[in-house]
Amino acid sequence: MSARLKVAIVGCGVAGSVLGYSLSRRPDVEVVCYERATPDDHSEAGTGLNVGPNAIKMLDALEPELARQVVAASYDWLHWTCSDTAGRTIFDFPLSDCADRPGIRIRWSELYRVLRAPLAGVARFGTQVLGVARDPARPATYAVDYRAADGVARRDDGFDLVVATDGRYSALRPQFAGAWTPRHVASCIFRLLVPDTSGGLMGDYAWWFNGNRRLLAFKVPPGQVYIAGSFPLPQPGAEIPAADKAPDAMARHFYPEAARPCPEVAWMVEQLTDQHDQIHWARLQETPPLFAAPHDAVLFLGDSAHGMVPTLGQGATQAVEDACVAAAVIRDALAARAAVAGPPVDLHAITAEISRRRLQRIEWVMALSLEATKAMLPDGEPRRDMGRLRDPEWQGSLTRLWSVAEPARILREGTA
Protein backbone atom coordinates (compact mmCIF):
# COMPACT_ATOMS: atom_id res chain seq x y z
CA MET A 1 0.00 0.00 0.00
CA SER A 2 1.28 3.47 -0.89
CA ALA A 3 1.27 6.47 1.42
CA ARG A 4 -2.32 7.12 0.37
CA LEU A 5 -5.05 4.51 0.68
CA LYS A 6 -6.57 4.00 -2.77
CA VAL A 7 -10.26 3.06 -2.65
CA ALA A 8 -12.63 2.04 -5.47
CA ILE A 9 -16.34 2.52 -4.73
CA VAL A 10 -18.60 0.69 -7.18
CA GLY A 11 -22.01 2.38 -7.16
CA CYS A 12 -22.93 5.92 -6.14
CA GLY A 13 -26.16 5.10 -4.39
CA VAL A 14 -26.77 6.26 -0.85
CA ALA A 15 -23.98 4.33 0.89
CA GLY A 16 -21.45 4.79 -1.91
CA SER A 17 -22.07 8.52 -2.18
CA VAL A 18 -21.86 9.19 1.56
CA LEU A 19 -18.69 7.13 1.91
CA GLY A 20 -17.16 8.68 -1.21
CA TYR A 21 -17.86 12.18 0.09
CA SER A 22 -16.36 11.51 3.49
CA LEU A 23 -13.21 9.73 2.25
CA SER A 24 -12.58 12.17 -0.60
CA ARG A 25 -12.13 14.97 1.94
CA ARG A 26 -9.09 13.21 3.42
CA PRO A 27 -5.57 13.92 2.11
CA ASP A 28 -4.46 10.37 2.93
CA VAL A 29 -7.14 8.70 0.76
CA GLU A 30 -7.54 8.58 -3.02
CA VAL A 31 -11.09 7.69 -4.01
CA VAL A 32 -12.56 6.76 -7.38
CA CYS A 33 -16.32 6.16 -7.61
CA TYR A 34 -18.01 4.37 -10.51
CA GLU A 35 -21.66 5.02 -11.35
CA ARG A 36 -23.81 4.06 -14.34
CA ALA A 37 -25.95 7.18 -14.12
CA THR A 38 -24.73 10.40 -15.71
CA PRO A 39 -24.29 13.48 -13.47
CA ASP A 40 -27.72 14.81 -14.49
CA ASP A 41 -29.51 11.46 -14.48
CA HIS A 42 -30.85 11.13 -10.96
CA SER A 43 -33.12 8.14 -11.41
CA GLU A 44 -36.71 8.32 -10.23
CA ALA A 45 -36.60 4.57 -9.51
CA GLY A 46 -38.08 4.09 -6.08
CA THR A 47 -39.71 7.50 -6.54
CA GLY A 48 -39.78 8.65 -2.90
CA LEU A 49 -38.56 7.55 0.49
CA ASN A 50 -38.67 8.31 4.16
CA VAL A 51 -35.31 8.33 5.92
CA GLY A 52 -35.33 7.61 9.65
CA PRO A 53 -34.11 10.04 12.30
CA ASN A 54 -31.26 7.65 13.06
CA ALA A 55 -29.65 8.19 9.65
CA ILE A 56 -29.82 11.97 9.85
CA LYS A 57 -28.36 11.95 13.34
CA MET A 58 -25.48 9.67 12.31
CA LEU A 59 -24.76 11.70 9.17
CA ASP A 60 -24.77 14.93 11.17
CA ALA A 61 -22.21 13.43 13.58
CA LEU A 62 -19.88 12.45 10.72
CA GLU A 63 -20.45 15.10 8.03
CA PRO A 64 -22.66 17.91 9.33
CA GLU A 65 -22.58 20.00 6.15
CA LEU A 66 -23.79 17.08 4.02
CA ALA A 67 -26.52 16.37 6.57
CA ARG A 68 -27.60 20.02 6.39
CA GLN A 69 -27.89 19.84 2.60
CA VAL A 70 -29.94 16.64 2.72
CA VAL A 71 -32.33 18.09 5.29
CA ALA A 72 -32.67 21.32 3.29
CA ALA A 73 -33.85 19.33 0.25
CA SER A 74 -36.53 17.43 2.20
CA TYR A 75 -39.61 17.78 4.35
CA ASP A 76 -39.50 16.76 8.00
CA TRP A 77 -41.01 13.41 8.91
CA LEU A 78 -42.72 14.26 12.17
CA HIS A 79 -45.76 12.00 12.47
CA TRP A 80 -46.93 8.47 11.68
CA THR A 81 -50.63 7.68 11.38
CA CYS A 82 -52.30 4.36 10.60
CA SER A 83 -56.00 3.92 9.73
CA ASP A 84 -58.28 1.61 7.84
CA THR A 85 -59.29 2.68 4.34
CA ALA A 86 -62.60 3.98 5.66
CA GLY A 87 -60.60 6.46 7.77
CA ARG A 88 -60.94 4.86 11.23
CA THR A 89 -57.76 5.36 13.27
CA ILE A 90 -55.60 2.41 14.33
CA PHE A 91 -52.81 4.51 15.84
CA ASP A 92 -51.51 8.04 15.62
CA PHE A 93 -48.29 9.18 17.20
CA PRO A 94 -45.55 11.77 16.73
CA LEU A 95 -42.04 10.49 16.09
CA SER A 96 -40.94 12.63 19.03
CA ASP A 97 -42.42 9.92 21.27
CA CYS A 98 -39.57 7.63 20.15
CA ALA A 99 -36.96 9.87 18.52
CA ASP A 100 -35.01 12.96 19.49
CA ARG A 101 -35.13 14.55 16.03
CA PRO A 102 -37.34 14.26 12.91
CA GLY A 103 -36.74 11.98 10.00
CA ILE A 104 -37.09 13.25 6.44
CA ARG A 105 -39.32 12.76 3.40
CA ILE A 106 -37.59 13.18 0.04
CA ARG A 107 -37.60 12.04 -3.58
CA TRP A 108 -34.94 9.50 -4.51
CA SER A 109 -33.88 11.75 -7.37
CA GLU A 110 -33.35 14.71 -5.05
CA LEU A 111 -31.41 12.67 -2.51
CA TYR A 112 -29.14 11.39 -5.27
CA ARG A 113 -28.65 14.93 -6.58
CA VAL A 114 -27.53 16.20 -3.17
CA LEU A 115 -25.30 13.22 -2.37
CA ARG A 116 -23.65 13.00 -5.80
CA ALA A 117 -23.00 16.71 -6.38
CA PRO A 118 -19.82 16.81 -4.22
CA LEU A 119 -18.39 13.77 -6.05
CA ALA A 120 -17.80 15.55 -9.35
CA GLY A 121 -14.04 15.38 -8.94
CA VAL A 122 -13.79 11.73 -7.89
CA ALA A 123 -16.68 9.95 -9.65
CA ARG A 124 -16.72 8.44 -13.11
CA PHE A 125 -20.38 8.95 -13.98
CA GLY A 126 -21.96 7.26 -16.99
CA THR A 127 -19.65 4.25 -16.69
CA GLN A 128 -20.38 0.54 -16.66
CA VAL A 129 -18.08 -1.56 -14.49
CA LEU A 130 -17.09 -4.63 -16.51
CA GLY A 131 -15.08 -6.41 -13.85
CA VAL A 132 -13.06 -6.10 -10.65
CA ALA A 133 -10.17 -8.44 -9.92
CA ARG A 134 -6.78 -8.66 -8.31
CA ASP A 135 -4.21 -6.79 -10.35
CA PRO A 136 -1.93 -9.41 -12.01
CA ALA A 137 1.03 -7.02 -11.79
CA ARG A 138 0.43 -6.28 -8.10
CA PRO A 139 -1.61 -9.12 -6.55
CA ALA A 140 -2.14 -7.24 -3.29
CA THR A 141 -4.17 -4.60 -5.15
CA TYR A 142 -7.24 -4.56 -7.40
CA ALA A 143 -8.00 -3.35 -10.91
CA VAL A 144 -11.36 -2.06 -12.17
CA ASP A 145 -12.28 -2.55 -15.83
CA TYR A 146 -15.07 -0.31 -17.04
CA ARG A 147 -16.68 1.16 -20.13
CA ALA A 148 -16.44 4.91 -19.90
CA ALA A 149 -19.11 7.42 -20.88
CA ASP A 150 -17.47 7.76 -24.31
CA GLY A 151 -17.91 4.02 -24.92
CA VAL A 152 -14.22 3.17 -24.61
CA ALA A 153 -13.14 0.29 -22.34
CA ARG A 154 -10.59 1.36 -19.75
CA ARG A 155 -8.84 0.06 -16.64
CA ASP A 156 -7.94 1.73 -13.34
CA ASP A 157 -5.52 -0.18 -11.13
CA GLY A 158 -3.67 -0.05 -7.84
CA PHE A 159 -6.72 -0.08 -5.54
CA ASP A 160 -6.07 -1.23 -1.99
CA LEU A 161 -9.74 -1.53 -1.01
CA VAL A 162 -12.88 -2.14 -3.07
CA VAL A 163 -16.27 -1.10 -1.71
CA ALA A 164 -19.27 -2.72 -3.36
CA THR A 165 -22.29 -0.46 -3.07
CA ASP A 166 -23.85 -1.81 -6.25
CA GLY A 167 -27.27 -2.60 -4.84
CA ARG A 168 -29.52 -5.51 -3.98
CA TYR A 169 -28.52 -7.38 -7.14
CA SER A 170 -24.80 -6.79 -6.64
CA ALA A 171 -22.48 -8.30 -9.22
CA LEU A 172 -19.48 -8.07 -6.90
CA ARG A 173 -20.91 -9.87 -3.89
CA PRO A 174 -21.26 -13.29 -5.55
CA GLN A 175 -17.83 -12.86 -7.14
CA PHE A 176 -16.02 -12.17 -3.86
CA ALA A 177 -18.29 -13.81 -1.28
CA GLY A 178 -20.26 -16.50 -3.10
CA ALA A 179 -23.85 -16.80 -4.23
CA TRP A 180 -26.76 -16.43 -1.82
CA THR A 181 -30.42 -17.32 -1.84
CA PRO A 182 -32.87 -14.43 -1.32
CA ARG A 183 -35.39 -14.88 1.48
CA HIS A 184 -38.77 -14.11 -0.05
CA VAL A 185 -41.70 -12.74 1.94
CA ALA A 186 -45.31 -13.43 0.95
CA SER A 187 -46.10 -9.86 -0.05
CA CYS A 188 -45.53 -7.50 -2.95
CA ILE A 189 -45.05 -3.76 -3.10
CA PHE A 190 -45.73 -1.19 -5.80
CA ARG A 191 -44.68 2.46 -5.99
CA LEU A 192 -45.78 5.63 -7.77
CA LEU A 193 -44.84 9.32 -7.57
CA VAL A 194 -47.54 11.78 -8.62
CA PRO A 195 -48.17 15.54 -8.53
CA ASP A 196 -50.07 16.57 -5.43
CA THR A 197 -53.55 17.37 -6.74
CA SER A 198 -55.19 16.25 -3.50
CA GLY A 199 -56.17 19.73 -2.33
CA GLY A 200 -54.37 19.38 0.98
CA LEU A 201 -55.42 15.81 1.80
CA MET A 202 -51.88 14.42 1.75
CA GLY A 203 -49.10 15.38 4.13
CA ASP A 204 -46.90 13.47 6.57
CA TYR A 205 -46.27 9.73 6.66
CA ALA A 206 -49.48 7.65 6.78
CA TRP A 207 -50.75 4.10 6.23
CA TRP A 208 -54.25 2.83 5.36
CA PHE A 209 -55.35 -0.83 5.56
CA ASN A 210 -58.17 -2.70 3.85
CA GLY A 211 -57.80 -6.03 5.59
CA ASN A 212 -54.18 -7.01 4.99
CA ARG A 213 -53.83 -4.76 1.93
CA ARG A 214 -52.02 -1.53 2.68
CA LEU A 215 -51.57 1.88 1.11
CA LEU A 216 -48.79 4.22 2.23
CA ALA A 217 -48.34 7.84 1.22
CA PHE A 218 -46.58 11.06 2.08
CA LYS A 219 -45.83 14.38 0.44
CA VAL A 220 -42.30 15.20 -0.80
CA PRO A 221 -40.78 18.42 -2.17
CA PRO A 222 -41.53 20.27 -4.35
CA GLY A 223 -45.20 19.28 -4.27
CA GLN A 224 -45.50 15.60 -5.13
CA VAL A 225 -46.93 12.60 -3.34
CA TYR A 226 -45.26 9.23 -3.02
CA ILE A 227 -47.77 6.36 -2.99
CA ALA A 228 -46.92 2.75 -2.23
CA GLY A 229 -49.18 -0.25 -1.95
CA SER A 230 -48.81 -3.79 -0.64
CA PHE A 231 -50.92 -6.92 -0.72
CA PRO A 232 -50.22 -10.55 0.17
CA LEU A 233 -49.01 -13.19 -2.25
CA PRO A 234 -50.15 -16.82 -2.01
CA GLN A 235 -46.71 -17.89 -0.77
CA PRO A 236 -43.17 -16.52 -0.45
CA GLY A 237 -41.58 -16.07 -3.87
CA ALA A 238 -44.85 -16.39 -5.79
CA GLU A 239 -45.28 -14.25 -8.89
CA ILE A 240 -47.65 -11.30 -8.62
CA PRO A 241 -50.90 -12.38 -10.35
CA ALA A 242 -51.55 -10.30 -13.48
CA ALA A 243 -55.17 -9.74 -12.47
CA ASP A 244 -54.01 -8.17 -9.20
CA LYS A 245 -51.83 -5.69 -11.10
CA ALA A 246 -54.57 -4.52 -13.48
CA PRO A 247 -55.88 -0.93 -13.25
CA ASP A 248 -59.33 -2.09 -12.18
CA ALA A 249 -57.80 -4.06 -9.30
CA MET A 250 -56.82 -0.90 -7.40
CA ALA A 251 -60.31 -0.18 -6.11
CA ARG A 252 -60.87 -3.86 -5.39
CA HIS A 253 -57.70 -3.98 -3.30
CA PHE A 254 -58.25 -0.85 -1.26
CA TYR A 255 -61.93 0.16 -1.18
CA PRO A 256 -63.65 -1.18 1.97
CA GLU A 257 -66.57 -3.51 1.33
CA ALA A 258 -69.05 -2.13 3.86
CA ALA A 259 -68.16 1.58 3.88
CA ARG A 260 -67.13 4.44 1.67
CA PRO A 261 -63.39 4.98 1.28
CA CYS A 262 -61.98 7.98 3.10
CA PRO A 263 -61.09 10.92 0.81
CA GLU A 264 -57.35 10.18 0.97
CA VAL A 265 -57.83 6.58 -0.21
CA ALA A 266 -60.27 7.61 -2.93
CA TRP A 267 -57.72 10.13 -4.26
CA MET A 268 -54.86 7.60 -4.15
CA VAL A 269 -56.87 4.90 -5.95
CA GLU A 270 -57.73 7.44 -8.65
CA GLN A 271 -54.04 8.22 -9.14
CA LEU A 272 -53.08 4.54 -9.20
CA THR A 273 -55.75 3.82 -11.79
CA ASP A 274 -55.08 6.82 -14.03
CA GLN A 275 -51.27 6.49 -13.97
CA HIS A 276 -51.14 2.73 -13.78
CA ASP A 277 -48.53 2.39 -16.52
CA GLN A 278 -46.03 4.31 -14.32
CA ILE A 279 -46.24 1.94 -11.34
CA HIS A 280 -43.10 0.03 -10.31
CA TRP A 281 -43.78 -3.48 -8.94
CA ALA A 282 -41.61 -5.75 -6.78
CA ARG A 283 -41.82 -8.72 -4.43
CA LEU A 284 -40.61 -8.37 -0.87
CA GLN A 285 -37.38 -10.21 -0.15
CA GLU A 286 -34.32 -10.09 2.07
CA THR A 287 -30.61 -10.62 1.43
CA PRO A 288 -28.63 -12.47 4.13
CA PRO A 289 -26.39 -9.78 5.68
CA LEU A 290 -22.68 -9.77 4.88
CA PHE A 291 -20.24 -6.87 5.07
CA ALA A 292 -16.74 -8.29 4.54
CA ALA A 293 -15.50 -10.60 1.79
CA PRO A 294 -13.86 -13.63 3.40
CA HIS A 295 -10.56 -13.55 1.48
CA ASP A 296 -10.32 -10.13 -0.15
CA ALA A 297 -10.11 -6.47 0.84
CA VAL A 298 -13.67 -6.01 -0.41
CA LEU A 299 -16.41 -4.39 1.63
CA PHE A 300 -20.19 -4.54 1.04
CA LEU A 301 -22.45 -1.70 2.16
CA GLY A 302 -26.12 -0.79 1.72
CA ASP A 303 -28.40 -3.12 -0.22
CA SER A 304 -25.46 -5.20 -1.48
CA ALA A 305 -24.78 -6.06 2.17
CA HIS A 306 -28.35 -6.41 3.47
CA GLY A 307 -31.33 -5.96 1.20
CA MET A 308 -34.33 -5.80 3.53
CA VAL A 309 -38.09 -5.39 3.44
CA PRO A 310 -38.95 -1.67 3.25
CA THR A 311 -41.71 -1.71 5.87
CA LEU A 312 -39.98 0.62 8.36
CA GLY A 313 -38.16 2.67 5.72
CA GLN A 314 -34.76 1.41 6.89
CA GLY A 315 -33.15 0.46 3.57
CA ALA A 316 -31.66 3.86 2.69
CA THR A 317 -31.53 4.70 6.39
CA GLN A 318 -29.24 1.80 7.20
CA ALA A 319 -27.17 2.52 4.09
CA VAL A 320 -26.38 5.91 5.63
CA GLU A 321 -25.48 4.25 8.93
CA ASP A 322 -23.25 1.77 7.07
CA ALA A 323 -21.36 4.52 5.26
CA CYS A 324 -20.90 6.62 8.38
CA VAL A 325 -19.48 3.71 10.37
CA ALA A 326 -17.25 2.59 7.47
CA ALA A 327 -15.87 6.11 7.04
CA ALA A 328 -15.19 6.40 10.78
CA VAL A 329 -13.38 3.04 10.94
CA ILE A 330 -11.18 3.88 7.94
CA ARG A 331 -10.49 7.38 9.30
CA ASP A 332 -9.49 6.06 12.71
CA ALA A 333 -7.22 3.36 11.24
CA LEU A 334 -5.42 5.91 9.10
CA ALA A 335 -5.09 8.32 12.01
CA ALA A 336 -3.61 5.59 14.22
CA ARG A 337 -1.06 4.71 11.54
CA ALA A 338 -0.08 8.36 11.06
CA ALA A 339 0.30 8.94 14.81
CA VAL A 340 3.10 6.40 15.11
CA ALA A 341 4.36 6.37 11.50
CA GLY A 342 3.41 2.71 11.55
CA PRO A 343 3.11 0.08 8.83
CA PRO A 344 0.29 0.10 6.24
CA VAL A 345 -3.17 -0.37 7.66
CA ASP A 346 -4.51 -3.92 7.80
CA LEU A 347 -7.38 -3.79 5.32
CA HIS A 348 -8.80 -7.14 6.40
CA ALA A 349 -8.87 -5.83 9.97
CA ILE A 350 -10.72 -2.74 8.73
CA THR A 351 -13.43 -4.70 6.90
CA ALA A 352 -13.75 -7.08 9.86
CA GLU A 353 -14.15 -4.15 12.25
CA ILE A 354 -16.84 -2.56 10.09
CA SER A 355 -18.65 -5.89 10.04
CA ARG A 356 -18.32 -6.20 13.81
CA ARG A 357 -19.83 -2.77 14.38
CA ARG A 358 -22.68 -3.22 11.91
CA LEU A 359 -23.76 -6.87 11.80
CA GLN A 360 -25.66 -7.11 15.08
CA ARG A 361 -27.44 -3.82 14.44
CA ILE A 362 -28.43 -4.84 10.90
CA GLU A 363 -29.70 -8.27 11.95
CA TRP A 364 -31.88 -6.60 14.58
CA VAL A 365 -33.20 -3.93 12.18
CA MET A 366 -34.02 -6.54 9.55
CA ALA A 367 -35.90 -8.67 12.09
CA LEU A 368 -37.80 -5.62 13.35
CA SER A 369 -38.75 -4.60 9.80
CA LEU A 370 -39.99 -8.10 9.07
CA GLU A 371 -42.00 -8.13 12.31
CA ALA A 372 -43.64 -4.85 11.24
CA THR A 373 -44.66 -6.55 7.97
CA LYS A 374 -46.98 -9.07 9.67
CA ALA A 375 -50.12 -7.07 8.97
CA MET A 376 -49.42 -7.32 5.20
CA LEU A 377 -48.98 -11.10 5.08
CA PRO A 378 -51.70 -13.63 4.24
CA ASP A 379 -52.74 -14.08 7.89
CA GLY A 380 -52.26 -10.42 8.81
CA GLU A 381 -54.79 -8.50 10.87
CA PRO A 382 -53.98 -4.78 10.99
CA ARG A 383 -55.77 -3.78 14.18
CA ARG A 384 -54.03 -6.57 16.03
CA ASP A 385 -50.66 -6.40 14.30
CA MET A 386 -50.31 -2.63 13.87
CA GLY A 387 -51.98 -1.77 17.16
CA ARG A 388 -49.01 -3.39 18.88
CA LEU A 389 -46.82 -0.49 17.78
CA ARG A 390 -48.30 1.46 20.68
CA ASP A 391 -47.29 -1.22 23.21
CA PRO A 392 -44.34 -0.39 25.49
CA GLU A 393 -42.18 -3.14 23.96
CA TRP A 394 -42.63 -1.78 20.44
CA GLN A 395 -42.18 1.79 21.60
CA GLY A 396 -38.90 0.72 23.16
CA SER A 397 -37.82 -0.90 19.89
CA LEU A 398 -38.70 2.20 17.88
CA THR A 399 -36.77 4.34 20.36
CA ARG A 400 -33.74 2.06 19.96
CA LEU A 401 -34.17 2.21 16.17
CA TRP A 402 -34.62 5.95 15.73
CA SER A 403 -32.81 7.68 18.55
CA VAL A 404 -29.24 6.40 18.09
CA ALA A 405 -27.96 7.61 21.44
CA GLU A 406 -24.43 9.01 21.41
CA PRO A 407 -23.72 8.81 17.65
CA ALA A 408 -20.14 10.04 18.11
CA ARG A 409 -19.45 7.10 20.44
CA ILE A 410 -21.07 4.67 18.00
CA LEU A 411 -18.83 5.94 15.21
CA ARG A 412 -15.86 5.25 17.49
CA GLU A 413 -16.93 1.97 19.05
CA GLY A 414 -19.95 0.52 17.23
CA THR A 415 -23.29 -0.92 18.39
CA ALA A 416 -26.56 1.01 18.72
Side-chain angles (χ1 to χ4, degrees), residues 166-180:
D166 53 340
R168 184 182 293 263
Y169 304 106
S170 170
L172 295 184
R173 178 164 164 175
Q175 176 185 347
F176 289 102
W180 74 92

Side-chain angles (χ1 to χ4, degrees), residues 130-141:
L130 304 173
V132 177
R134 287 189 181 271
D135 187 341
R138 290 174 289 173
T141 65

Side-chain angles (χ1 to χ4, degrees), residues 123-337:
R124 304 196 190 286
F125 289 108
T127 65
Q128 179 186 0
V129 172
L130 304 173
V132 177
R134 287 189 181 271
D135 187 341
R138 290 174 289 173
T141 65
Y142 298 84
V144 177
D145 292 306
Y146 62 97
R147 191 172 305 283
D150 59 7
V152 177
R154 293 187 170 88
R155 165 174 284 193
D156 294 334
D157 55 21
F159 290 106
D160 304 298
L161 175 67
V162 176
V163 184
T165 52
D166 53 340
R168 184 182 293 263
Y169 304 106
S170 170
L172 295 184
R173 178 164 164 175
Q175 176 185 347
F176 289 102
W180 74 92
T181 301
R183 297 193 293 246
H184 286 277
V185 179
S187 180
C188 71
I189 187 169
F190 59 83
R191 306 177 176 94
L192 180 67
L193 186 71
V194 298
D196 184 9
T197 61
S198 70
L201 287 174
M202 314 309 293
D204 211 339
Y205 184 79
W207 293 9
W208 295 263
F209 278 95
N210 182 35
N212 50 14
R213 301 164 187 260
R214 184 204 65 171
L215 284 172
L216 172 158
F218 49 86
K219 190 172 179 178
V220 295
Q224 294 174 295
V225 174
Y226 170 62
I227 304 171
S230 300
F231 54 82
L233 296 176
Q235 60 190 27
E239 296 295 331
I240 306 170
D244 283 337
K245 297 168 67 174
D248 61 3
M250 295 296 108
R252 173 164 49 85
H253 286 316
F254 301 112
Y255 275 13
E257 290 185 8
R260 294 176 60 86
C262 65
E264 295 89 343
V265 168
W267 180 81
M268 285 186 285
V269 167
E270 180 181 4
Q271 307 310 304
L272 293 167
T273 303
D274 291 348
Q275 302 187 52
H276 190 266
D277 61 338
Q278 301 299 313
I279 294 175
H280 174 269
W281 294 85
R283 295 173 297 172
L284 295 194
Q285 63 183 51
E286 297 181 310
T287 302
L290 178 73
F291 288 94
H295 306 297
D296 285 272
V298 177
L299 177 69
F300 309 106
L301 300 177
D303 278 354
S304 67
H306 48 72
M308 66 180 71
V309 298
T311 311
L312 291 178
Q314 286 291 308
T317 301
Q318 290 302 317
V320 173
E321 284 196 20
D322 284 355
C324 290
V325 170
V329 171
I330 294 169
R331 173 199 66 196
D332 293 348
L334 292 172
R337 180 188 69 170

Side-chain angles (χ1 to χ4, degrees), residues 53-54 57-62 100-101 321 324-325 328 331 357 361 399-416:
N54 43 312
K57 192 169 180 180
M58 290 281 282
L59 185 60
D60 187 58
L62 180 78
D100 48 13
R101 61 147 295 124
E321 284 196 20
C324 290
V325 170
R331 173 199 66 196
R357 296 193 190 185
R361 167 81 166 167
T399 299
R400 177 182 169 190
L401 177 68
W402 286 334
S403 287
V404 191
E406 302 179 67
R409 179 190 61 77
I410 292 167
L411 292 176
R412 290 194 310 270
E413 303 169 10
T415 73

